[in-house]
């Protein structure tokens, strides 16, 4: 059975898309077939990390939600961009970058059940081992749906007071929806803090496992979304921490 | 069938579909069942019996009640019928979009 995992943060700018892209890259390098869905319809962006040019996007998630195409037609194989000849594969399902399409979906909405069906069809038709959903920050209807259908929820937070309460709300929602496994990832921790202490403190505060604490990395800032961090810096300590998250998700993959 | 679940189904107001925020507002046992159904996708009567560890007859009555309340729909044609939570999004529809935080009874 395949894994469906939502990567979420209550606030924007937490590094959620960067982490999504690195997790997908690491899973694929390990031989797994991975789908990445950009459900951040209002402000899509993860395609940039995978080097997918807008002109190459024939169909986007918006087109599927409006019934203009099948979900598999929206999948773009970006494996070659990550690592030619890699053992696994990464398929990116981008959201549309066209202002009219973004406005249309905000104005008209779409059939919620179709989104869930699309996720399951992707897993089946692309024979995916894992489907990673890059959610829109905060809690709206489609994010709640993405969380509800997930086997795992990874909540990204920064060591920032503004993130703390929102993370608590998201955890409460996950518990109400009975998400089988939820984990926290603390991102961009200033190097003056001790990661182990922060981990203990966050776990105690939320009563939830911390899968990784990612220290602030100048390389991440300098990369500026031009590439997937784990691919560019395979031996970096942050990549080691990202591998720890993959290991947790790997347990889930074996669960089914 | 757990008395609590039946009572919750009987008490819920009839509607035509369910938003995710409305699902979160449902009482515990009913919300837990419907959240499981959302995660599973379309499920058969047999799946529900197995999940609830209840009899065929009891689960069929429950699914009929959920249909009557407008919470669940039968999907698929031919073969074994499947049941799916009737999900709707409130964005761009008759209800104004609500901030999920505003409707969640959270005490954090």
């Amino acid at each position: 059975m395949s894994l469906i995992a939502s990567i979420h943060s209550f606030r924007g700018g937490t590094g959620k898309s960067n982490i999504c892209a690195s997790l997908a890259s690491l899973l694929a390098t390990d031989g797994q077939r991975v789908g990445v869905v950009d459900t951040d319809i209002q402000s899509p962006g993860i395609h940039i990390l995978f080097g997918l040019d807008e002109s190459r996007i024939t169909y986007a998630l918006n087109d599927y939600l409006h019934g203009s195409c099948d979900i598999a037609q929206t999948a773009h194989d970006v494996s070659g961009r990550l690592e030619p000849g890699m053992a696994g594969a990464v398929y990116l399902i981008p959201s549309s970058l066209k202002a009219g399409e973004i406005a249309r979906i905000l104005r008209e909405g779409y059939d919620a059940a179709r989104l869930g069906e699309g996720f399951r069809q992707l897993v089946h038709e692309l024979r995916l081992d894992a489907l990673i959903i890059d959610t829109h920050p905060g809690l709206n209807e489609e994010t709640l749906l993405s969380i509800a259908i997930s086997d795992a929820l990874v909540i990204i937070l920064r060591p920032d007071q503004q993130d703390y309460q929102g993370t608590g709300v998201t955890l409460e929602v996950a518990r109400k929806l009975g998400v089988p496994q939820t984990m926290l990832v603390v991102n961009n921790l200033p190097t003056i803090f001790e990661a182990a202490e922060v981990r203990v403190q966050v776990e105690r505060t939320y009563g939830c496992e911390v899968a990784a604490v990612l220290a602030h990395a100048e390389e991440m800032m300098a990369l500026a979304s031009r590439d997937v961090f784990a691919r560019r810096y395979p031996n970096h300590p942050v990549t080691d921490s990202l591998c720890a998250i993959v290991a947790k998700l790997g347990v889930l993959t074996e669960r089914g | 069938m757990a008395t609590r679940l039946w009572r919750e189904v009987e008490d819920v107001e009839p509607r035509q579909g369910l938003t995710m925020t409305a699902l979160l507002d449902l009482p515990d046992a009913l919300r837990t069942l419907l959240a499981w159904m959302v995660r599973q996708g379309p499920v058969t009567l047999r799946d529900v019996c197995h999940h609830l560890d209840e009899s065929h007859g009891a689960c069929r009555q429950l699914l009929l009640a959920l249909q009557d309340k407008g919470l669940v729909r039968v999907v698929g044609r031919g073969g074994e019928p499947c049941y799916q939570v009737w999900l709707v999004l409130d964005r761009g529809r008759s209800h104004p979009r609500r901030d999920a935080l505003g409707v969640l009874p959270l005490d954090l």
Side-chain angles (χ1 to χ4, degrees):
Chain A
M1 189 173 173
S2 304
L3 167 79
I4 298 179
S6 282
I7 315 296
H8 183 68
S9 63
F10 192 78
R11 291 174 52 80
T14 58
K16 173 171 58 66
S17 295
N18 275 288
I19 290 172
C20 273
S22 280
L23 294 180
S25 174
L26 289 168
L27 282 163
T29 302
D30 194 40
Q32 302 207 43
R33 296 172 64 82
V34 186
V36 178
V37 188
D38 189 354
T39 63
D40 194 352
I41 294 170
Q42 298 170 40
S43 48
I46 198 170
H47 61 282
I48 293 169
L49 288 153
F50 288 111
L52 179 62
D53 190 82
E54 186 180 350
S55 63
R56 286 180 52 209
I57 300 175
T58 309
Y59 290 113
L61 181 64
N62 309 53
D63 299 301
Y64 165 73
L65 294 173
H66 287 307
S68 306
C69 67
D70 294 330
I71 189 71
Q73 290 177 277
T74 68
H76 296 70
D77 188 345
V78 293
S79 315
R81 157 73 176 149
L82 290 170
E83 182 185 319
M86 72 191 321
V90 177
Y91 296 93
L92 175 64
I93 293 81
S95 276
S96 177
L97 296 163
K98 296 171 185 167
E101 288 298 317
I102 296 171
R104 181 184 174 194
I105 215 143
L106 293 175
R107 186 176 62 245
E108 299 177 8
Y110 55 85
D111 181 356
R114 191 167 168 81
L115 184 62
E117 286 165 13
F119 291 157
R120 294 187 188 91
Q121 281 174 19
L122 277 173
V123 169
H124 176 71
E125 293 183 24
L126 299 178
R127 295 178 288 110
L128 298 179
D129 299 300
L131 182 69
I132 295 175
I133 305 170
D134 185 11
T135 64
H136 181 67
L139 290 173
N140 59 19
E141 284 283 315
E142 49 270 70
T143 296
L144 290 173
L145 178 61
S146 297
I147 291 172
I149 71 165
S150 294
D151 303 299
L153 172 64
V154 181
I155 304 173
I156 314 296
L157 70 154
R158 294 163 303 181
D160 185 313
Q161 291 297 324
Q162 293 188 68
D163 284 12
Y164 288 156
Q165 187 176 12
T167 297
V169 171
T170 308
L171 275 170
E172 182 66 18
V173 165
R175 286 172 184 140
K176 282 186 157 218
L177 293 174
V179 177
Q181 185 156 359
T182 304
M183 59 187 86
L184 299 173
V185 171
V186 180
N187 192 24
N188 207 19
L189 183 73
T191 50
I192 58 169
F193 292 113
E194 180 61 46
E197 287 178 13
V198 170
R199 176 192 292 268
V200 169
Q201 189 179 348
V202 171
E203 287 186 340
R204 189 183 300 140
T205 300
Y206 294 110
C208 180
E209 177 185 30
V210 172
V213 178
L214 310 180
H216 171 79
E218 292 297 332
E219 294 90 337
M220 180 78 82
M221 302 297 117
L223 194 55
S225 299
R226 283 191 297 268
D227 199 353
V228 176
F229 186 87
R231 190 196 80 85
R232 179 70 74 92
Y233 298 102
N235 300 313
H236 195 283
V238 166
T239 302
D240 292 342
S241 297
L242 291 163
C243 287
I245 305 170
V246 167
K248 304 279 185 191
L249 296 174
V251 171
L252 285 165
T253 305
E254 292 164 11
R255 184 177 58 86
Chain B
M1 184 68 61
T3 310
R4 183 180 171 192
L5 178 57
W6 263 118
R7 191 182 306 125
E8 289 178 2
V9 174
E10 286 171 358
D11 288 349
V12 74
E13 290 292 320
R15 57 188 85 197
Q16 288 194 310
L18 198 59
T19 63
M20 286 303 301
T21 46
L23 189 151
L24 284 169
D25 274 343
L26 292 173
D28 287 350
L30 180 55
R31 185 189 67 245
T32 301
L33 173 64
L34 295 182
W36 171 78
M37 289 179 70
V38 169
R39 193 160 48 255
Q40 297 300 312
V43 292
T44 63
L45 173 57
R46 192 170 35 198
D47 294 329
V48 176
C49 293
H50 185 257
H51 177 67
L52 295 175
D53 194 22
E54 291 285 351
S55 71
H56 192 273
C59 289
R60 186 166 53 194
Q61 287 299 315
L62 175 70
L63 288 167
L64 282 171
L66 292 172
Q67 282 180 259
D68 287 344
K69 294 285 187 175
L71 302 174
V72 163
R73 289 194 294 192
V74 178
V75 294
R77 290 190 175 87
E80 194 173 5
C82 288
Y83 302 86
Q84 187 174 36
V85 176
W86 184 358
L87 285 177
V88 294
L89 286 184
D90 62 3
R91 173 186 295 154
R93 296 175 193 270
S94 56
H95 303 292
R97 180 177 174 215
R98 294 170 297 173
D99 182 344
L101 277 176
V103 298
L104 295 176
L106 299 172
D107 182 20
L108 294 167

